[in-house]
Amino acid sequence: MITLYTHPMSPCAQKVRIVLAEKRVAWEPKLINLQQKENLQAWYLKLNPLGVVPTLVEGGQPVIESSIICEYLEDCYPTPSLRQGTPHQIAQMRLWLKHIDIKLHPSCGALQWPLIMRPALLEKTSEEQQSLISQVIEKPRRERQRRLLDMGLNAPDVVDAVRTYAFTIEQMEEALQSQKWLAGDHFSLADCAMAPYFQTLLQFGWAAFFAASPKVEQWVKQVCERPSFISAVSADFPEDTCRELLLLGADAWPIIEQHLQEEK
Ligand SMILES: N[C@@H](CCC(=O)N[C@@H](CS)C(=O)NCC(=O)O)C(=O)O
């Protein structure tokens, strides 16, 4: 049996859950409380030395890093295939995964963290805040969290994040002109990995990001209608959570919209 250490709002964990659902593989969730930094406790660092979710454990062996977990699942459970097509299409698929890991994921964090994680940290004393953040393993993440804690949505990371989202949507619109899915005419790991980053926009009511990109709009609609997305992502967002997130998103929107306008 697979165990997945996860958090409902983690896009990295969501992408793995979508892959598990596409492949109809049974798994057991173990929720990690990111607001309380359970991910930095010694027992968890033994599984995932980077101190982040997700971590998948199968046969007692941990697998970390969401894109690597997705490829691991593809190798272990090849049917239905989420990595098919020509070598060039598979290369394109991996390019999307790389872009998501390196650029889009930190950007999503810069948009989501001030609204979701920051309020819980602000309730602690400044000593507690600094002590928790100083334990974050990777330096770029630690420094980003420090800036986002201090400056919230006014941190420079937020401007960069909006820019990266706009660039990603532009690239997607171009790719989707000639094919149904991101890496060809087959739904692939690239689509599974990208979908959660649109959940983040949708949950905050920020669909304006892609309103002028009809192919992306259509792609989002198709992804959200898939049973895998419904069971792996939407099911974790009960109505009252959705309402709260929309309110948080509406409060933040004037700042985000301003960055978006500057980008155009
Ligand atoms: N490169 C990692 C990134 C994982 C990641 O950033 N996870 C976030 C949640 S989406 C996390 O655990 N954050 C905890 C923290 O920053 O303290 C992956 O793809 O698995």
Side-chain angles (χ1 to χ4, degrees):
M1 174 62 117
I2 288 177
T3 301
L4 186 70
Y5 293 84
T6 177
H7 182 279
M9 289 180 66
S10 153
C12 287
Q14 287 168 355
K15 76 166 101 146
V16 172
R17 298 201 302 261
I18 294 172
V19 173
L20 287 163
E22 286 286 335
K23 294 187 173 290
R24 297 172 197 269
V25 175
W27 60 283
E28 182 195 23
K30 287 257 163 59
L31 296 186
I32 297 294
N33 187 334
L34 295 182
Q35 276 96 338
Q36 297 306 327
K37 298 256 180 243
E38 195 182 358
N39 50 308
L40 298 177
Q41 289 182 9
W43 70 267
Y44 187 71
L45 292 176
K46 278 196 192 139
L47 292 174
N48 185 326
L50 299 179
V52 290
V53 295
T55 301
L56 179 143
V57 180
E58 187 170 35
Q61 292 181 310
V63 185
I64 65 168
E65 286 297 305
S66 57
S67 294
I68 292 174
I69 299 174
C70 291
E71 296 242 28
Y72 167 86
L73 289 170
E74 181 64 30
D75 291 334
C76 295
Y77 306 94
T79 315
S81 174
L82 295 170
R83 194 179 52 199
Q84 51 185 309
T86 64
H88 185 258
Q89 286 170 324
I90 294 174
Q92 291 306 112
M93 187 271 282
R94 292 200 169 113
L95 201 56
W96 284 114
L97 296 186
K98 186 167 180 179
H99 171 73
I100 293 167
D101 284 345
I102 295 178
K103 304 245 176 77
L104 192 60
H105 179 68
S107 300
C108 180
L111 297 182
Q112 184 154 243
W113 204 92
L115 306 192
I116 307 293
M117 302 297 167
R118 186 172 184 254
L121 270 186
L122 287 177
E123 280 174 16
K124 300 184 185 295
T125 64
S126 60
E127 287 75 25
E128 285 169 330
Q129 292 167 7
Q130 292 314 319
S131 146
L132 279 173
I133 293 206
S134 67
Q135 293 167 47
V136 172
I137 308 290
E138 296 165 295
K139 189 172 174 202
R141 179 189 298 272
R142 187 165 64 240
E143 292 184 342
R144 189 173 69 238
Q145 290 192 7
R146 243 184 219 130
R147 285 190 297 274
L148 292 169
L149 177 67
D150 288 348
M151 302 170 73
L153 289 172
N154 294 315
D157 309 69
V158 179
V159 182
D160 288 346
V162 169
R163 190 169 295 152
T164 300
Y165 257 96
F167 172 78
T168 305
I169 290 167
E170 215 179 282
Q171 297 291 303
M172 288 173 71
E173 186 69 11
E174 201 179 310
L176 294 168
Q177 293 299 320
S178 55
Q179 56 200 35
K180 184 169 179 208
W181 298 108
L182 290 179
D185 286 326
H186 298 108
F187 183 82
S188 76
L189 292 181
D191 303 287
C192 297
M194 188 65 86
Y197 296 91
F198 284 81
Q199 163 62 27
T200 306
L201 297 183
L202 293 172
Q203 80 197 16
F204 291 134
W206 297 347
F209 265 86
F210 54 90
S213 308
K215 295 283 181 190
V216 175
E217 208 165 24
Q218 169 76 355
W219 176 90
V220 172
K221 183 171 177 292
Q222 285 171 337
V223 161
C224 291
E225 283 170 1
R226 284 180 88 84
S228 61
F229 188 88
I230 294 169
S231 66
V233 181
S234 312
D236 276 332
F237 289 79
E239 262 178 45
D240 48 344
T241 306
C242 291
R243 261 195 304 277
E244 279 167 36
L245 290 169
L246 283 172
L247 286 176
L248 289 175
D251 274 354
W253 180 243
I255 298 182
I256 302 294
E257 187 183 27
Q258 194 184 334
H259 296 328
L260 202 53
Q261 292 309 331
E262 283 160 11
E263 194 40 42
K264 281 180 185 158

